[in-house]
Amino acid sequence: MTSEESTMSERRIAVFCGANPGRGTAYVEQARLLGTEIGRRGLGLVYGGSAAGVMGAVADAALAAGAHVTGIIPEHLTRHDPLKTDVDEVHVVDTMHERKSLMYELADAFIALPGGFGTFDELFETLTWAKLGLHAKPVVLLDVHGYYRPLGALLDRSLAEGFVSGRDRGLVRLATTAVEAVDACAPVLAEPLAS
């Protein structure tokens, strides 16, 4: 199904996160809380398409809370990542670039849960596009157990050293709970959809 064929009529949040659960239970628990909050607010979820780890947890919770869930996964990842097939839409694309492009197209806001290189890649490309004026969508870090605190320090250092402007540093917001993360996206999510 293409994005044009989607029957979605609500605002959507793209969640960047890992296909691994991380150590302990905190990351999966926060993913579930975020998925539940997205569904509770009548929003849709766009995510990386895996049934595993933090990805699977956010998708399961969003589905259980009534959210329309769209998974987007490159074909080569389906060979070792379990594809979540019980979502509302599944897009199997050819490349990682296509995955990111479709996620950006479908989403009205972005929240990054903890993850690894793929999550960082998605996050920084989204921030770069915002800096270049290609979108004005909110970008939020859900800082579970201080996971993103070192990244915040790096961004502050980049600002202090003149590599990042104050305006650009403000492109990424930090939240410590699922409710705060969705609240940080609320102004854009409250805007009426174009007809």
Side-chain angles (χ1 to χ4, degrees):
M1 179 182 293
T2 67
S3 59
E4 290 80 20
E5 295 170 321
S6 171
T7 58
M8 286 289 298
S9 60
E10 70 267 8
R11 293 292 187 179
R12 294 172 267 198
I13 295 178
V15 175
F16 304 141
C17 56
N20 291 313
R23 296 189 192 278
T25 60
Y27 303 118
V28 168
E29 287 172 5
Q30 279 299 316
R32 288 185 183 126
L33 290 172
L34 180 58
T36 299
E37 189 64 16
I38 288 170
R40 187 185 74 76
R41 297 202 195 190
L43 303 169
L45 169 69
V46 178
Y47 87 113
S50 178
V54 177
M55 276 198 216
V58 72
D60 283 339
L63 283 168
H68 185 284
V69 176
T70 303
I72 306 169
I73 190 167
E75 191 277 329
H76 71 274
L77 287 184
T78 64
R79 296 181 208 134
H80 53 81
D81 275 1
L83 175 65
K84 188 158 183 57
T85 57
D86 62 342
V87 297
D88 299 291
E89 292 182 63
V90 176
H91 299 265
V92 179
V93 296
D94 291 330
T95 68
M96 296 293 282
H97 293 293
E98 286 180 70
R99 176 201 235 176
K100 290 185 291 184
S101 181
L102 188 54
M103 289 178 87
Y104 304 154
E105 176 189 333
L106 294 177
D108 299 292
F110 306 94
I111 296 175
L113 280 162
F117 288 161
T119 302
F120 302 150
D121 175 51
E122 292 162 341
L123 170 65
F124 276 101
E125 187 161 330
T126 302
L127 287 171
T128 301
W129 287 17
K131 175 198 170 31
L132 296 173
L134 300 177
H135 74 82
K137 301 173 183 180
V139 181
V140 181
L141 302 175
L142 182 41
D143 189 32
V144 182
H145 283 286
Y147 185 82
Y148 282 118
R149 199 170 300 136
L151 177 56
L154 175 61
L155 294 174
D156 290 341
R157 178 70 185 271
S158 297
L159 172 64
E161 297 296 334
F163 291 106
V164 172
S165 71
R167 177 203 167 275
D168 294 344
R169 176 63 183 91
L171 291 173
V172 61
R173 300 165 178 97
L174 189 71
T176 57
T177 69
V179 171
E180 285 178 11
V182 179
D183 280 349
C185 302
V188 167
L189 298 175
E191 292 174 3
L193 288 163
S195 43

